[in-house]
Amino acid sequence: MAGETVITVVGNLTADPELRYTQNGLPVANFTIASTPRNFDRAANEWKDGEALFLRASVWREFAEHVAGSLTKGMRVMAQGRLRQRSYQDREGNQRTAIELEVDEIGPSLRYATAQVTRAASTGGGGGGGGQSRPAQQQQVSEEPWSTPGSSTSADAWSTPGSFGDDTPF
């Protein structure tokens, strides 16, 4: 990822994510994030909205299914990813360029809302792709989001280097 433009965008979804499948059965979700800057006008003693940025975004594979099943129109989200520039020809034959966000991470903003998180069972393979996709099994996350069933959450487990299940030091 060296040399790629990585950005973080905070904004609202303009519509529900649109989930589609490629000819090979690969899921992709597309959506738009509207990010509007707000500035305080001291003369008027009020907040004023600036010009909104509408950024097209996409996610792939099992991640796309998670996004489509979790996020809806109007939700305030935080998305981090890489900007991609794409050239294409429009219906009139004009050459056009589009800049889109290829999302690496996305989630609801908790500044003005709450969320309940469920963990989706992994289909294996580390990054998705490859095998058949199976329906995600939902598992309730405990009150301590860093714990997993059967793991120790005592203070001792966090107190020494290498206590994360391997012998690798920090």
Side-chain angles (χ1 to χ4, degrees):
M1 291 207 321
E4 293 182 308
T5 305
V6 177
I7 66 166
T8 301
V9 177
V10 178
N12 296 75
L13 296 182
T14 62
D16 290 347
E18 183 179 352
L19 182 63
R20 294 185 178 191
Y21 294 86
T22 66
Q23 291 178 344
N24 296 334
L26 195 66
V28 59
N30 296 299
F31 50 94
T32 300
I33 301 171
S35 181
T36 307
R38 296 196 77 195
N39 297 307
F40 190 75
D41 182 347
R42 290 183 185 211
N45 198 33
E46 65 183 11
W47 287 95
K48 295 200 174 180
D49 288 340
E51 189 173 339
L53 166 71
F54 293 90
L55 187 59
R56 289 292 297 164
S58 63
V59 293
W60 292 84
R61 298 181 175 76
E62 190 176 18
F63 188 15
E65 293 172 334
H66 294 173
V67 166
S70 302
L71 302 177
T72 57
K73 177 182 179 176
M75 279 188 171
R76 186 171 180 85
V77 297
M78 296 181 299
Q80 183 177 42
R82 293 160 280 136
L83 288 179
R84 295 284 188 218
Q85 181 173 304
R86 179 175 58 86
S87 296
Y88 64 97
Q89 200 170 52
D90 68 12
R91 292 179 183 152
E92 289 80 37
N94 300 317
Q95 195 66 18
R96 301 284 186 186
T97 301
I99 296 177
E100 300 170 339
L101 181 66
E102 190 174 304
V103 177
D104 293 323
E105 297 287 340
I106 189 168
S109 170
L110 301 181
R111 184 172 211 167
Y112 305 111
T114 61
Q116 186 165 358
V117 178
T118 55
R119 179 178 292 178
S122 174
T123 59
Q132 293 284 338
S133 178
R134 66 173 189 244
Q137 297 172 342
Q138 299 296 316
Q139 176 183 15
Q140 187 66 36
V141 176
S142 71
E143 291 179 27
E144 298 175 320
W146 52 85
S147 67
T148 56
S151 70
S152 170
T153 57
S154 70
D156 295 343
W158 298 95
S159 62
T160 58
S163 63
F164 293 101
D166 63 12
D167 294 331
T168 308
F170 289 12

